[in-house]
Amino acid sequence: MSQQYDYDLLVIGAGSGGVRASRMAAQKGKRVAVCEEDRVGGTCVLRGCVPKKLLVYASEYSSAFEDSQGFGWSSTNAKIDWPKLIETKNRELDRLNGIYNNILSSNGVETLQGRGTIVDQHTVDVAGKRYTAENIIIAVGGWPTLPNVPGIEHAITSNEALDLAELPRRIVIVGGGYIAVEFAGIFAGMGAEVTEIIRADRILRGFDDDLRSELEREMTKRGINIMGSTTVQCITKKDNHYEIVLGDGETIETDAIMYATGRKPKIDGLGLENIGVDISDGGAIKVDRNYKTNVDSIYAIGDVTDRVCLTPVALAEGMALVEHLYGADRNSVDYDNIPSAVFSQPPLGVVGLTEAQARERYERVDVYTSSFKAMKHTLSGRDERTFMKLIVDPVSDKVIGAHMMGPDAAEIMQGIGIAMKCGATKAQFDATIGIHPSAAEEFVTMREKRP
């Protein structure tokens, strides 16, 4: 590499993808710096996956306490100490932030504190000081967006929901995506009265239709009021609560209102216009198969490209890009059969095609489903069903879609994802001996095709 630059590689954004790319490039002997305006760790560690799942864990105890009575335990009259939970959650985030900082420093990556602004194709301004690099990676992720609704300044997003000083007695969540669904479960599990308002007729657009219906049914059983085909006209602050006027004129009173209606790449102020980086209509940075923008030396990975907005995908893209720049130049990330989960209550795990997607791509598909009460609930008395679904291409016999709603769905689907990545067939699923008694065994015992 030429010594005319301060660094071989400068990464803007120290989230999951940026940290991974920085570390791997440094391990290859490159001079690397990463700039970050916030704490190191990014959305996943500080404002997303990790704190959210810690709150999911906390909220599940209310159901566990209820279920335990069917197994002979006495009622505990347990009550959540919300401030204590937030304090312990933040302590864990501090620990993780320290780990991420150590990862960078121990690998020789220099951390530059401040928002990075691109000056030209080899120069980045960080807090008023300019640094040059042969290559620049943009990995700044995404940020929650809010619609233009009168009174929207009274709403919070998932960012603020993770750090509320008090647990609201009533909360309205606007949105039907996975973030909205997960926070509905969190607040309901904590004892709040939850209303979820969605513009569409059902939650989780883009997921398998059967899964959407099954989860909506289970969320309703848990006391969450889901209002489909509904919009918000305006929000008004009253003395000690908020009033929401809906599209049909109906009003709702609530103690908090959270919007989870979308996220956008956080590109404002990056200086992309200075060098003419191509941006999509949705505000994402356009990249080719090797994550290069239309400007030589400028690359982008993760949520800022709005491809598949998942932490493990950003990690994989960071590794693939470093290999492309400094290594064996292997192929880009394979985006087929990426397992994912929704930490709703009950949780979802999915990999591959939905039934609707499969019917669009294939002339014919076979569908297998199973719905049952989990063994645990035969004694707990909880009225909850587990649902599983396999979608098969009858020509090749390959399993092209797997979907589950129920306890441990994410853990189970990780293994199913490996099998599908290997091209497993339905016959191979059928030939696999199940683990009994378990819910997972249903995936290898489904024999009857749905008509």
Side-chain angles (χ1 to χ4, degrees):
M1 289 291 179
S2 172
Q3 296 297 315
Q4 64 177 305
Y5 303 110
D6 297 323
Y7 304 101
D8 298 318
L9 179 67
L10 197 156
V11 180
I12 303 176
S16 297
V19 169
R20 178 63 60 87
S22 301
R23 176 175 67 84
M24 292 196 65
Q27 287 177 348
K28 291 181 179 293
K30 305 305 173 183
R31 297 170 298 136
V32 183
V34 59
C35 67
E36 174 57 57
E37 64 178 331
D38 197 351
R39 295 195 297 168
V40 171
T43 295
C44 180
V45 173
L46 302 174
R47 297 174 295 275
C49 327
V50 173
K52 172 201 67 184
K53 196 168 184 186
L54 291 175
L55 296 194
V56 169
Y57 283 139
S59 67
E60 290 174 335
Y61 278 99
S62 59
S63 296
F65 293 143
E66 286 180 15
D67 294 347
S68 71
Q69 295 178 55
F71 291 86
W73 290 88
S74 298
S75 175
T76 61
N77 293 317
K79 182 181 178 182
I80 183 71
D81 184 338
W82 176 266
K84 181 179 179 180
L85 170 62
I86 298 303
E87 179 187 349
T88 53
K89 179 265 295 182
N90 287 339
R91 193 180 305 134
E92 172 61 9
L93 299 192
D94 289 342
R95 186 185 72 86
L96 293 174
N97 172 244
I99 289 174
Y100 271 69
N101 276 306
N102 185 60
I103 287 172
L104 293 173
S105 61
S106 63
N107 283 281
V109 178
E110 184 176 349
T111 302
L112 310 174
Q113 187 65 42
R115 176 74 165 173
T117 302
I118 297 175
V119 178
D120 59 44
Q121 65 186 83
H122 293 289
T123 306
V124 177
D125 183 290
V126 183
K129 186 174 180 180
R130 294 190 173 188
Y131 303 88
T132 59
E134 180 151 8
N135 291 301
I136 297 167
I137 298 177
I138 301 170
V140 295
W143 200 255
T145 60
L146 290 169
N148 185 21
V149 172
I152 195 66
E153 66 273 11
H154 301 305
I156 62 172
T157 69
S158 57
N159 290 351
E160 296 79 31
L162 292 165
D163 280 304
L164 289 174
E166 297 179 356
L167 176 67
R169 184 174 63 86
R170 302 167 298 177
I171 186 168
V172 170
I173 298 175
V174 182
Y178 75 93
I179 295 175
V181 163
E182 289 172 338
F183 274 96
I186 287 170
F187 285 114
M190 301 292 188
E193 179 184 310
V194 179
T195 298
E196 184 171 356
I197 295 174
I198 55 176
R199 181 185 296 271
D201 60 336
R202 280 183 296 168
I203 58 173
L204 294 179
R205 180 172 57 88
F207 284 75
D208 187 85
D209 287 337
D210 284 338
L211 215 59
R212 298 169 70 191
S213 297
E214 294 290 338
L215 179 60
E216 190 163 301
R217 187 177 299 117
E218 294 301 332
M219 290 175 64
T220 301
K221 288 180 187 176
R222 288 175 179 252
I224 297 170
N225 178 26
I226 300 175
M227 303 181 68
S229 304
T230 303
T231 58
V232 173
Q233 275 194 44
C234 64
I235 305 164
T236 305
K237 177 79 168 71
K238 299 297 183 180
D239 290 339
N240 58 355
H241 66 275
Y242 300 98
E243 184 178 271
I244 301 170
V245 180
L246 304 179
D248 61 1
E250 180 186 351
T251 61
I252 299 176
E253 290 187 356
T254 186
D255 301 308
I257 178 167
M258 171 185 160
Y259 265 75
T261 50
R263 296 174 64 86
K264 285 189 176 181
K266 196 179 179 184
I267 63 171
D268 290 348
L270 273 181
L272 301 181
E273 67 282 359
N274 295 336
I275 54 173
V277 171
D278 283 345
I279 306 297
S280 72
D281 292 339
I285 296 176
K286 293 183 179 181
V287 293
D288 64 16
R289 62 184 296 272
N290 291 314
Y291 312 105
K292 188 172 78 70
T293 69
N294 61 304
V295 179
D296 288 339
S297 78
I298 307 293
Y299 297 80
I301 58 172
D303 292 6
V304 76
T305 66
D306 200 22
R307 283 181 166 180
V308 179
C309 295
L310 296 169
T311 295
V313 173
L315 294 172
E317 290 177 346
M319 290 188 288
L321 175 51
V322 169
E323 285 300 314
H324 168 69
L325 290 174
Y326 310 120
D329 194 14
R330 63 188 174 97
N331 290 332
S332 301
V333 177
D334 180 1
Y335 294 93
D336 288 334
N337 290 331
I338 295 175
S340 63
V342 178
F343 293 102
S344 48
Q345 297 180 43
L348 309 183
V350 303
V351 61
L353 304 178
T354 66
E355 182 178 346
Q357 290 169 337
R359 293 194 183 282
E360 286 181 358
R361 297 191 193 185
Y362 294 85
E363 185 174 334
R364 187 165 57 90
V365 295
D366 291 338
V367 177
Y368 301 79
T369 62
S370 178
S371 178
F372 56 92
K373 177 178 282 193
M375 184 178 180
K376 174 183 177 181
H377 296 316
T378 60
L379 292 191
S380 77
R382 179 171 297 278
D383 180 20
E384 178 179 295
R385 307 286 292 179
T386 292
F387 176 78
M388 296 178 173
K389 182 174 185 177
L390 285 177
I391 302 164
V392 179
D393 168 23
V395 177
S396 66
D397 197 42
K398 283 186 177 181
V399 177
I400 55 176
H403 307 267
M404 177 180 175
M405 177 194 73
D408 301 317
E411 311 295 339
I412 292 169
M413 200 54 62
Q414 182 68 80
I416 300 293
I418 295 171
M420 289 177 57
K421 205 69 172 176
C422 294
T425 63
K426 183 62 168 66
Q428 290 169 328
F429 269 62
D430 294 345
T432 302
I433 303 299
I435 298 172
H436 184 75
S438 72
E441 68 179 315
E442 287 291 318
F443 274 117
V444 297
T445 58
M446 287 188 273
R447 297 290 189 271
E448 297 295 323
K449 299 176 189 176
R450 193 180 67 187

